[in-house]
Amino acid sequence: ALREEPGVIDYTIAEDIESPGTMRFVERYEDRDALAAHQETDHYQAFDGRREELLEGAADVTLFEVADATEL
């Protein structure tokens, strides 16, 4: 569902190899409007409503804004 939303570039989940059980969610959006639209979806609201139940600790969220990127 998320990958099909307008403005979503990528969505990846991976387990941290140095901290087993720690999951890394990497989400890339075209712009802040796409992120804001995602946060209004039913599936995001459902997850957010159960966040404390699903996670063992507080979520550590970092927002990166990239002005330019070149593929290598």
Side-chain angles (χ1 to χ4, degrees), residues 21 23 25 47 50-61:
M23 305 305 291
F25 292 72
F47 171 78
R50 297 184 57 206
R51 184 185 311 245
E52 289 183 23
E53 172 189 344
L54 297 170
L55 304 178
E56 288 186 5
D60 183 10
V61 178

Side-chain angles (χ1 to χ4, degrees), residues 28-63:
R28 293 175 44 207
Y29 300 88
E30 289 179 4
D31 53 32
R32 282 186 175 230
D33 289 340
L35 171 59
H38 167 63
Q39 292 172 329
E40 296 298 321
T41 62
D42 290 340
H43 58 268
Y44 179 89
Q45 294 293 321
F47 171 78
D48 197 45
R50 297 184 57 206
R51 184 185 311 245
E52 289 183 23
E53 172 189 344
L54 297 170
L55 304 178
E56 288 186 5
D60 183 10
V61 178
T62 303
L63 175 66

